[in-house]
């Protein structure tokens, strides 16, 4: 009977623990067709709603208000940077943002520099609000996928491409 009670308690508690980890996923895609580096930042909409409530004063509506969506996208832009391995900044241009189901997406792009051997990246989005926030970045389109995990005190991480 005690075992059954433990199982029931776990099943009741599980939904409340389902989204405790604060996290985001970013794809950095080297698109050879467009000659652009495309950044696609994916945040849980739930986290985004909490963030805009902390970041901006007054009534905010990230789901229906395009102005609030753009304000959050600008916040993300101010917390993300890309460089060559030599430390030369790559200018990231805002492409757009959207709500898609349970996610909020922010899109950026930059021109692919000639003979790039890798990238350095900083991704501090939401980490100023929640120190436990983890931002995972997948770098694709230049050999094997490289994964960068921004957590704790990480500020700049790098992905080096394989040489042929």
């Amino acid at each position: 009977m005690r075992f059954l009670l433990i199982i029931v308690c776990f099943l009741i508690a599980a939904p409340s623990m389902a989204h405790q980890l604060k996290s985001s996923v970013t794809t950095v895609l080297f698109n050879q067709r467009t000659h652009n580096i495309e950044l696609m930042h994916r945040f849980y909409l739930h986290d985004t709603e909490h963030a805009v409530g902390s970041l901006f004063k007054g009534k905010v509506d990230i789901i229906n208000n395009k102005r609030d969506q753009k304000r959050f996208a600008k916040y993300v832009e101010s917390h993300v940077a890309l460089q060559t391995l030599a430390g030369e900044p790559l200018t990231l241009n805002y492409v757009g943002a959207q709500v898609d189901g349970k996610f909020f997406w922010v899109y950026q792009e930059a021109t692919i520099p000639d003979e790039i051997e890798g990238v350095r990246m900083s991704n501090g989005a939401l980490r100023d609000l929640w120190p436990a926030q983890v931002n995972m970045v997948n770098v694709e389109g230049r050999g094997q996928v490289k994964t960068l995990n921004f957590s704790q005190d990480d500020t700049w991480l790098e992905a080096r491409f394989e040489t042929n």
Side-chain angles (χ1 to χ4, degrees):
M1 180 67 178
R2 188 182 312 190
F3 179 72
L4 182 59
L5 182 59
I6 291 170
I7 296 292
V8 169
C9 288
F10 178 73
L11 290 174
I12 291 171
S16 67
M17 296 171 27
H19 183 66
Q20 293 297 315
L21 177 66
K22 301 285 188 193
S23 64
S24 73
V25 176
T26 295
T27 300
V28 176
L29 175 65
F30 282 76
N31 187 329
Q32 299 306 318
R33 186 181 55 77
T34 63
H35 303 289
N36 284 328
I37 304 169
E38 300 170 354
L39 282 74
M40 297 156 276
H41 308 281
R42 185 189 81 181
F43 299 90
Y44 282 102
L45 188 56
H46 176 78
D47 293 347
T48 307
E49 289 175 307
H50 283 263
V52 296
S54 297
L55 293 168
F56 310 125
K57 297 192 184 320
K59 187 176 185 294
V60 290
D61 180 0
I62 194 75
I63 295 173
N64 299 306
N65 187 321
K66 295 290 185 194
R67 182 176 165 268
D68 289 339
Q69 291 175 9
K70 187 150 187 172
R71 284 175 31 181
F72 182 73
K74 287 213 171 286
Y75 161 82
V76 172
E77 286 183 282
S78 72
H79 286 76
V80 173
L82 206 56
Q83 300 177 344
T84 65
L85 292 178
E88 298 164 7
L90 299 175
T91 303
L92 294 172
N93 300 306
Y94 175 72
V95 175
Q98 71 174 5
V99 174
D100 181 28
K102 64 181 179 177
F103 299 111
F104 186 82
W105 293 85
V106 177
Y107 305 101
Q108 297 175 284
E109 67 181 7
T111 302
I112 299 174
D114 293 334
E115 301 181 29
I116 189 165
E117 298 176 0
V119 291
R120 293 181 35 137
M121 184 172 186
S122 177
N123 186 341
L126 301 181
R127 295 179 64 215
D128 53 338
L129 296 176
W130 303 302
Q133 172 79 20
V134 175
N135 295 332
M136 185 178 82
V137 177
N138 291 317
V139 181
E140 302 177 8
R142 286 285 171 119
Q144 283 188 313
V145 174
K146 306 286 186 210
T147 300
L148 310 175
N149 286 300
F150 291 88
S151 63
Q152 299 176 344
D153 296 328
D154 294 330
T155 52
W156 288 91
L157 299 175
E158 65 180 42
R160 293 183 177 270
F161 307 137
E162 295 88 18
T163 56
N164 293 334

